[in-house]
Amino acid sequence: VQLQASGGGLAQAGGSLRLSCAASGLMFTDNTVGWFRQAPGKEREFVGRFRRDGRGTRYADSVRGRFTISRDNAKNMVYLQMNSLKPEDTAVYYCAASPRYVNDEISQYDHWGQGTQVTVSS
C-alpha cells in the first residue's frame, strides 16, 4: 500500500491550494482518509477526515469553513481544498488511511503518504 500526497506549493495569504492524495493497493471507498499537517517544531496535528462510507467529514476548528475534503471514487483520489489560506497553515501536509471509522487520532491510521509542503506567505 502506498499513499502519495501532492499539490503543495507556495501561496499568498487569502489564496487557495488543492492537495491530492493518490493510493495504490487500497481503495478509498474502503478507508477513512485523514489529512494531517506538521509545522516546523510542532507536533503533527489533525486537519480533517472523510469517512469511508462517504457520509461525513470532520475538521479541526482551525480549518473549519476554509478547508474541504472530497473524494473522487472513479479516480480513487481524495482532495483537500484549502481556501482563505493563512500563514499559520504553513506545514507539511500528509494524507493517511484506515479501514476503520476513525477520527483525529494519529495512531489509528495505518497508512501514510510522504507529505507535501504548503507555504503561505503574508
Side-chain angles (χ1 to χ4, degrees):
V1 174
Q2 285 190 328
L3 299 181
Q4 183 169 355
S6 61
L10 179 64
Q12 291 187 334
S16 299
L17 284 173
R18 189 180 79 158
L19 306 184
S20 300
C21 181
S24 59
L26 65 78
M27 298 299 294
F28 284 138
T29 50
D30 296 329
N31 285 267
T32 295
V33 177
W35 284 96
F36 295 80
R37 66 186 182 186
Q38 187 166 17
K42 295 187 177 181
E43 294 185 351
R44 192 169 299 188
E45 65 176 4
F46 173 77
V47 173
R49 67 100 174 102
F50 190 96
R51 274 177 51 146
R52 53 180 285 180
D53 60 9
R55 293 187 176 183
T57 51
R58 177 175 290 190
Y59 300 96
D61 290 343
S62 58
V63 306
R64 188 176 296 113
R66 300 188 298 120
F67 290 11
T68 303
I69 301 173
S70 61
R71 188 176 73 191
D72 186 329
N73 294 341
K75 296 181 179 180
N76 198 35
M77 296 283 290
V78 173
Y79 303 100
L80 178 65
Q81 179 67 44
M82 305 186 296
N83 298 329
S84 302
L85 284 163
K86 303 176 181 180
E88 51 263 45
D89 295 320
T90 295
V92 177
Y93 283 72
Y94 300 87
C95 59
S98 170
R100 298 172 294 279
Y101 288 103
V102 296
N103 289 311
D104 59 351
E105 292 190 22
I106 292 174
S107 62
Q108 295 183 0
Y109 288 84
D110 302 290
H111 308 290
W112 290 82
Q114 85 288 2
T116 185
Q117 176 71 46
V118 171
T119 302
V120 183
S121 61
S122 58

